[in-house]
Amino acid sequence: MVKRVSLWDAGCPVARSLDVIGDWWSLLIIRDAFDGVRRFNEFQTSLGIAKGMLATRLRDLTQRGILETAPASDGTAYREYVLTEKGRGLFLVIVALRQWGEDHLYRPGEARSSLVDTETGAPVARLELHAENGRPLGWSDTRVQKSGNG
Amino acid sequence: MVKRVSLWDAGCPVARSLDVIGDWWSLLIIRDAFDGVRRFNEFQTSLGIAKGMLATRLRDLTQRGILETAPASDGTAYREYVLTEKGRGLFLVIVALRQWGEDHLYRPGEARSSLVDTETGAPVARLELHAENGRPLGWSDTRVQKSGNG
DNA sequence: CAGTATCCCCCCTGATACTG
DNA sequence: CAGTATCAGGGGGGATACTG
């Protein structure tokens, strides 16, 4: 972000997404937002981020339509930061990152958080890609069809 | 990466993943690798990245077990960079980023690449989260169960 | 609590030149 | 082609102080 080189115009949705949220802090802020964090100070202590950086990131994410501010729910004069619908659309990105981390970045038995179905308390099913007809698809079963850059 | 602050130890798989691939260039390199890019120069021209940066990133990703080098398939003395199984595990992260970009970052009719089923040529199905029993799950139907930091 | 303002360093990143 | 080496800059990012 505030990118020296922008791949926005490359015609690849992956690059364009990264242009918007592809920096270290943004996705962590968004992750916290999904976990119910709403206040400036909550983000700050949760992430250990410098206040100035946090203010900048919060402002950027708001300008990009990923967060929006709302009056504080506790009646104080402060703002709260909540995900917009566009921001909530990033849920699967977070889930995919979580799944990969669980798969490849932990030693067996090492403590970690997990995502569960609120209704049953059971872990959610693994994320999978499918074809139109429901057939499971691996990376080698797909191809990027270019109308611009892939 | 080469992070001043590391959230590796926070017990959150999302943070740990971002610690490994959470910078601008890494995911773009990985995206290219999924698209069949293998050679140093291919990456360089495809991304417009500086050679020094590319060399560093390639080395980092290799050290982290996401890429590995192989002898050039054309018989030259050079190396090729290919995804390991761990690297291929990032497929769904790329797909999720692509889907979000398509959903929220393009004007109607704007040219962009898309992911299709090689066998049928049809676009892949939308990525979705499900419960153990197959019920579709939205972000509000889930909860992060902490055993560490969420 | 929720920021803004300031200072400052370091490293990310690009550009260029050089080597095998 | 596939890198390595070196230089230079800009801004990401932390720390601290200040304000409402």
Side-chain angles (χ1 to χ4, degrees):
Chain A
M1 335 189 48
V2 189
K3 205 68 32 50
R4 26 223 150 272
V5 173
S6 172
L7 267 44
W8 179 269
D9 296 322
C12 173
V14 180
R16 198 171 279 199
S17 291
L18 290 173
D19 214 21
V20 177
I21 46 91
D23 75 297
W24 164 254
W25 287 120
S26 291
L27 277 172
L28 286 172
I29 292 171
I30 291 162
R31 176 208 63 172
D32 270 9
F34 274 116
D35 291 352
V37 173
R38 293 166 162 243
R39 301 288 280 257
F40 189 93
N41 206 49
E42 287 181 300
F43 284 108
Q44 216 237 315
T45 60
S46 164
L47 298 174
I49 186 177
K51 298 174 91 170
M53 275 307 311
L54 179 59
T56 302
R57 285 281 168 277
L58 253 16
R59 182 165 39 245
D60 285 353
L61 289 171
T62 303
Q63 274 173 177
R64 290 157 193 256
I66 291 167
L67 294 177
E68 62 189 351
T69 53
S73 48
D74 60 4
T76 56
Y78 304 120
R79 286 178 287 182
E80 300 193 340
Y81 299 88
V82 297
L83 291 163
T84 61
E85 196 227 327
K86 180 175 175 178
R88 292 193 297 273
L90 286 164
F91 184 53
L92 290 185
V93 174
I94 303 285
V95 172
L97 283 168
R98 170 177 289 279
Q99 182 164 298
W100 184 74
E102 290 174 344
D103 287 348
H104 297 282
L105 268 21
Y106 283 83
R107 296 185 306 278
E110 195 177 356
R112 62 169 187 264
S113 66
S114 62
L115 190 68
V116 302
D117 179 350
T118 309
E119 196 171 310
T120 67
V124 302
R126 284 188 66 80
L127 207 51
E128 270 183 358
L129 184 67
H130 295 93
E132 257 183 339
N133 62 15
R135 181 171 38 101
L137 249 32
W139 71 277
S140 58
D141 302 317
T142 68
R143 157 174 68 84
V144 172
Q145 185 151 313
K146 314 202 170 198
S147 69
N149 174 340
Chain B
M1 337 189 42
V2 190
K3 205 68 32 45
R4 25 219 150 277
V5 174
S6 172
L7 265 47
W8 179 270
D9 297 321
C12 173
V14 180
R16 197 170 279 200
S17 292
L18 289 173
D19 214 20
V20 176
I21 47 91
D23 74 298
W24 165 254
W25 287 120
S26 292
L27 277 172
L28 286 172
I29 290 170
I30 291 161
R31 176 209 62 171
D32 270 10
F34 275 116
D35 292 353
V37 173
R38 292 164 164 246
R39 300 287 281 255
F40 188 92
N41 206 49
E42 287 181 301
F43 284 110
Q44 216 234 317
T45 60
S46 164
L47 298 173
I49 186 177
K51 298 173 93 171
M53 276 308 310
L54 179 58
T56 303
R57 284 282 168 276
L58 253 17
R59 182 165 39 246
D60 285 353
L61 289 170
T62 302
Q63 275 174 174
R64 290 157 194 258
I66 290 166
L67 294 177
E68 60 189 352
T69 54
S73 47
D74 60 4
T76 58
Y78 303 120
R79 286 178 288 183
E80 299 193 342
Y81 298 88
V82 296
L83 292 163
T84 61
E85 197 227 325
K86 180 175 176 179
R88 293 193 297 271
L90 285 164
F91 184 54
L92 290 184
V93 173
I94 303 284
V95 172
L97 283 167
R98 169 176 290 278
Q99 180 163 299
W100 184 74
E102 290 174 343
D103 287 348
H104 296 283
L105 266 23
Y106 283 83
R107 296 185 306 278
E110 196 176 357
R112 62 169 187 266
S113 66
S114 63
L115 190 69
V116 302
D117 179 350
T118 308
E119 196 171 309
T120 67
V124 302
R126 284 187 66 79
L127 208 51
E128 270 184 357
L129 185 67
H130 295 93
E132 257 182 340
N133 62 16
R135 179 171 39 101
L137 248 32
W139 71 277
S140 58
D141 301 318
T142 69
R143 160 173 66 84
V144 171
Q145 185 150 312
K146 316 201 171 202
S147 69
N149 173 340

